[in-house]
PDB file of all heavy atoms in Angstrom:
ATOM      1  N   THR A   7      70.958 101.084  63.029  1.00  0.00           N
ATOM      2  CA  THR A   7      70.060 102.238  63.033  1.00  0.00           C
ATOM      3  C   THR A   7      70.794 103.505  63.423  1.00  0.00           C
ATOM      4  O   THR A   7      70.613 104.551  62.797  1.00  0.00           O
ATOM      5  CB  THR A   7      68.877 101.990  63.995  1.00  0.00           C
ATOM      6  OG1 THR A   7      68.213 100.792  63.604  1.00  0.00           O
ATOM      7  CG2 THR A   7      67.914 103.158  63.977  1.00  0.00           C
ATOM      8  N   CYS A  14      72.866 109.878  57.653  1.00  0.00           N
ATOM      9  CA  CYS A  14      71.861 110.725  56.996  1.00  0.00           C
ATOM     10  C   CYS A  14      71.903 112.154  57.527  1.00  0.00           C
ATOM     11  O   CYS A  14      71.796 113.104  56.750  1.00  0.00           O
ATOM     12  CB  CYS A  14      70.465 110.139  57.190  1.00  0.00           C
ATOM     13  SG  CYS A  14      70.198 108.620  56.250  1.00  0.00           S
ATOM     14  N   CYS A  18      72.680 115.266  55.162  1.00  0.00           N
ATOM     15  CA  CYS A  18      71.682 116.321  54.997  1.00  0.00           C
ATOM     16  C   CYS A  18      72.228 117.684  55.374  1.00  0.00           C
ATOM     17  O   CYS A  18      71.837 118.695  54.811  1.00  0.00           O
ATOM     18  CB  CYS A  18      70.440 116.028  55.843  1.00  0.00           C
ATOM     19  SG  CYS A  18      69.509 114.610  55.243  1.00  0.00           S
ATOM     20  N   SER A  31      82.912 114.012  74.703  1.00  0.00           N
ATOM     21  CA  SER A  31      83.121 114.565  76.039  1.00  0.00           C
ATOM     22  C   SER A  31      83.080 113.495  77.121  1.00  0.00           C
ATOM     23  O   SER A  31      82.490 112.430  76.939  1.00  0.00           O
ATOM     24  CB  SER A  31      82.075 115.647  76.343  1.00  0.00           C
ATOM     25  OG  SER A  31      80.792 115.102  76.358  1.00  0.00           O
ATOM     26  N   TYR A  67      81.589  96.924  94.792  1.00  0.00           N
ATOM     27  CA  TYR A  67      80.525  96.091  95.342  1.00  0.00           C
ATOM     28  C   TYR A  67      79.183  96.260  94.622  1.00  0.00           C
ATOM     29  O   TYR A  67      78.278  95.467  94.798  1.00  0.00           O
ATOM     30  CB  TYR A  67      80.330  96.399  96.824  1.00  0.00           C
ATOM     31  CG  TYR A  67      81.581  96.185  97.620  1.00  0.00           C
ATOM     32  CD1 TYR A  67      82.249  97.254  98.198  1.00  0.00           C
ATOM     33  CD2 TYR A  67      82.118  94.917  97.761  1.00  0.00           C
ATOM     34  CE1 TYR A  67      83.408  97.049  98.916  1.00  0.00           C
ATOM     35  CE2 TYR A  67      83.286  94.710  98.470  1.00  0.00           C
ATOM     36  CZ  TYR A  67      83.923  95.785  99.049  1.00  0.00           C
ATOM     37  OH  TYR A  67      85.072  95.585  99.739  1.00  0.00           O
ATOM     38  N   PHE A  87      74.564 128.806  76.357  1.00  0.00           N
ATOM     39  CA  PHE A  87      73.197 128.332  76.148  1.00  0.00           C
ATOM     40  C   PHE A  87      72.596 127.738  77.414  1.00  0.00           C
ATOM     41  O   PHE A  87      73.295 127.153  78.233  1.00  0.00           O
ATOM     42  CB  PHE A  87      73.169 127.237  75.068  1.00  0.00           C
ATOM     43  CG  PHE A  87      73.664 127.678  73.736  1.00  0.00           C
ATOM     44  CD1 PHE A  87      74.972 127.442  73.369  1.00  0.00           C
ATOM     45  CD2 PHE A  87      72.832 128.333  72.857  1.00  0.00           C
ATOM     46  CE1 PHE A  87      75.442 127.839  72.131  1.00  0.00           C
ATOM     47  CE2 PHE A  87      73.291 128.737  71.614  1.00  0.00           C
ATOM     48  CZ  PHE A  87      74.595 128.492  71.249  1.00  0.00           C
ATOM     49  N   GLU A  89      70.444 124.659  78.330  1.00  0.00           N
ATOM     50  CA  GLU A  89      70.238 123.357  77.699  1.00  0.00           C
ATOM     51  C   GLU A  89      69.052 122.661  78.347  1.00  0.00           C
ATOM     52  O   GLU A  89      69.009 122.478  79.553  1.00  0.00           O
ATOM     53  CB  GLU A  89      71.513 122.526  77.875  1.00  0.00           C
ATOM     54  CG  GLU A  89      71.419 121.139  77.336  1.00  0.00           C
ATOM     55  CD  GLU A  89      72.696 120.360  77.580  1.00  0.00           C
ATOM     56  OE1 GLU A  89      72.942 119.990  78.756  1.00  0.00           O
ATOM     57  OE2 GLU A  89      73.425 120.120  76.623  1.00  0.00           O
ATOM     58  N   LEU A  98      71.958  98.983  83.937  1.00  0.00           N
ATOM     59  CA  LEU A  98      72.240  97.630  84.400  1.00  0.00           C
ATOM     60  C   LEU A  98      73.028  97.747  85.699  1.00  0.00           C
ATOM     61  O   LEU A  98      74.136  98.276  85.714  1.00  0.00           O
ATOM     62  CB  LEU A  98      73.058  96.866  83.354  1.00  0.00           C
ATOM     63  CG  LEU A  98      73.642  95.527  83.785  1.00  0.00           C
ATOM     64  CD1 LEU A  98      72.540  94.515  83.997  1.00  0.00           C
ATOM     65  CD2 LEU A  98      74.628  95.035  82.751  1.00  0.00           C
ATOM     66  N   SER A 110      73.401 103.796  98.353  1.00  0.00           N
ATOM     67  CA  SER A 110      72.015 103.342  98.272  1.00  0.00           C
ATOM     68  C   SER A 110      71.033 104.498  98.109  1.00  0.00           C
ATOM     69  O   SER A 110      69.908 104.278  97.706  1.00  0.00           O
ATOM     70  CB  SER A 110      71.652 102.524  99.509  1.00  0.00           C
ATOM     71  OG  SER A 110      71.812 103.308 100.660  1.00  0.00           O
ATOM     72  N   PHE A 122      65.189 103.667  81.449  1.00  0.00           N
ATOM     73  CA  PHE A 122      64.658 104.754  82.257  1.00  0.00           C
ATOM     74  C   PHE A 122      64.765 106.081  81.518  1.00  0.00           C
ATOM     75  O   PHE A 122      65.752 106.360  80.865  1.00  0.00           O
ATOM     76  CB  PHE A 122      65.333 104.831  83.633  1.00  0.00           C
ATOM     77  CG  PHE A 122      66.771 105.279  83.594  1.00  0.00           C
ATOM     78  CD1 PHE A 122      67.103 106.608  83.747  1.00  0.00           C
ATOM     79  CD2 PHE A 122      67.791 104.362  83.417  1.00  0.00           C
ATOM     80  CE1 PHE A 122      68.414 107.012  83.712  1.00  0.00           C
ATOM     81  CE2 PHE A 122      69.102 104.755  83.390  1.00  0.00           C
ATOM     82  CZ  PHE A 122      69.416 106.091  83.533  1.00  0.00           C
ATOM     83  N   LEU A 125      65.120 113.814  82.354  1.00  0.00           N
ATOM     84  CA  LEU A 125      65.055 115.181  81.866  1.00  0.00           C
ATOM     85  C   LEU A 125      66.275 115.934  82.360  1.00  0.00           C
ATOM     86  O   LEU A 125      66.726 115.723  83.490  1.00  0.00           O
ATOM     87  CB  LEU A 125      63.776 115.864  82.365  1.00  0.00           C
ATOM     88  CG  LEU A 125      62.469 115.263  81.878  1.00  0.00           C
ATOM     89  CD1 LEU A 125      61.294 115.957  82.554  1.00  0.00           C
ATOM     90  CD2 LEU A 125      62.350 115.378  80.373  1.00  0.00           C
ATOM     91  N   SER A 158      80.359 118.054  82.521  1.00  0.00           N
ATOM     92  CA  SER A 158      80.938 117.430  81.343  1.00  0.00           C
ATOM     93  C   SER A 158      81.930 118.380  80.682  1.00  0.00           C
ATOM     94  O   SER A 158      81.700 119.592  80.612  1.00  0.00           O
ATOM     95  CB  SER A 158      79.819 117.085  80.354  1.00  0.00           C
ATOM     96  OG  SER A 158      80.332 116.593  79.156  1.00  0.00           O
TER      97      SER A 158
END
Side-chain angles (χ1 to χ4, degrees):
T7 303
C14 289
C18 291
S31 63
Y67 302 112
F87 300 96
E89 177 182 72
L98 170 68
S110 60
F122 70 93
L125 297 175
S158 175

